[in-house]
Amino acid sequence: GENVEQHPSTLSVQEGDSAVIKCTYSDSASNYFPWYKQELGKRPQLIIDIRSNVGEKKDQRIAVTLNKTAKHFSLHITETQPEDSAVYFCAASIGGATNKLIFGTGTLLAVQP
Amino acid sequence: KAGVTQTPRYLIKTRGQQVTLSCSPISGHRSVSWYQQTPGQGLQFLFEYFSETQRNKGNFPGRFSGRQFSNSRSEMNVSTLELGDSALYLCASSPGGETQYFGPGTRLLVL
């Protein structure tokens, strides 16, 4: 069945360093790839998304890259800050239905001051 | 605009009971999706409603059902509750395309 693998499950970085989270998807029809940030006890918040016709997208300190051939996409956070500490989820649309998402298992990012 | 709201925020039920959860999307959004979040299984897609019609469905048993009203508000129902149904139930609204905005969730505990 369709699945999204996400690595690493935990990531600890020093403030100011970069963080990279990687996801691999299985459904070749996937065409929409959002990333969500979830702080403890709060709702998931969309931080960036990318569509299959784009290879890279950047928003201030956050960037996402997509390699459709390899079915692989990554989240890059530069100049990390303590407030970046949270669980990050990647997701991929299933079967071309952009409102049907399959999520990765999450990465707990800890930014040490 | 006001964000996605969900009621109730917390719920305790016993096995065998049924429960109804409510979601009010962002004004103007016509699509509502429902997800179950558990520590073991993560975030799993339940179903999506658009203009009062179920447009997509995940791999959950028939005990999980939903509906959407003409004002885009949505409800999901779980019948014959099991212990394993304890989870955070999240709804997400979208204008109809891709970008989904999540509500705060309803935390359901089944005893």
Side-chain angles (χ1 to χ4, degrees):
Chain A
E2 307 106 349
N3 75 304
V4 172
E5 291 187 4
Q6 183 172 348
H7 299 281
S9 56
T10 60
L11 180 58
S12 181
V13 300
Q14 291 294 126
E15 183 177 358
D17 286 351
S18 295
V20 180
I21 302 170
K22 299 182 179 183
C23 289
T24 304
Y25 62 97
S26 61
D27 185 356
S28 56
S30 295
N31 55 17
Y32 175 64
F33 308 90
W35 286 87
Y36 285 86
K37 172 184 179 183
Q38 188 174 29
E39 296 176 61
L40 189 62
K42 296 192 175 180
R43 71 188 76 189
Q45 284 190 298
L46 179 71
I47 56 172
I48 196 166
D49 56 13
I50 192 167
R51 289 159 182 80
S52 57
N53 58 347
V54 175
E56 184 174 356
K57 183 176 178 180
K58 191 172 182 182
D59 183 4
Q60 299 183 346
R61 298 186 296 108
I62 294 172
V64 58
T65 58
L66 171 66
N67 182 330
K68 282 217 73 177
T69 303
K71 295 183 186 171
H72 168 271
F73 59 115
S74 301
L75 177 72
H76 305 252
I77 306 174
T78 58
E79 300 170 25
T80 53
Q81 300 165 5
E83 50 266 39
D84 293 330
S85 296
V87 178
Y88 290 81
F89 292 95
C90 64
S93 60
I94 305 172
T98 53
N99 273 25
K100 185 175 180 180
L101 299 176
I102 184 166
F103 281 80
T105 49
T107 296
L108 175 60
L109 173 64
V111 181
Q112 310 296 333
Chain B
K1 283 184 181 179
V4 181
T5 58
Q6 292 185 245
T7 56
R9 294 293 312 278
Y10 303 91
L11 208 47
I12 300 175
K13 291 286 187 179
T14 55
R15 279 181 299 171
Q17 288 187 309
Q18 74 164 19
V19 66
T20 300
L21 312 181
S22 180
C23 172
S24 292
I26 293 170
S27 178
H29 286 194
R30 297 166 65 189
S31 167
V32 174
S33 298
W34 288 89
Y35 295 85
Q36 181 195 66
Q37 186 174 30
T38 59
Q41 299 298 319
L43 271 158
Q44 292 186 285
F45 175 81
L46 280 154
F47 30 64
E48 183 228 354
Y49 285 86
F50 179 83
S51 293
E52 302 179 65
T53 300
Q54 188 180 85
R55 190 162 68 169
N56 289 296
K57 190 176 186 309
N59 298 322
F60 278 79
R63 299 186 297 108
F64 292 82
S65 62
R67 60 178 176 168
Q68 187 178 34
F69 301 96
S70 58
N71 62 357
S72 293
R73 188 177 69 86
S74 178
E75 289 182 345
M76 72 162 272
N77 183 277
V78 188
S79 62
T80 320
L81 283 165
E82 300 177 359
L83 295 179
D85 296 333
S86 295
L88 179 67
Y89 290 88
L90 292 158
C91 78
S93 84
S94 167
E98 302 149 333
T99 309
Q100 296 185 42
Y101 301 92
F102 281 90
T106 294
R107 190 163 295 280
L108 171 65
L109 177 62
V110 181
L111 301 176

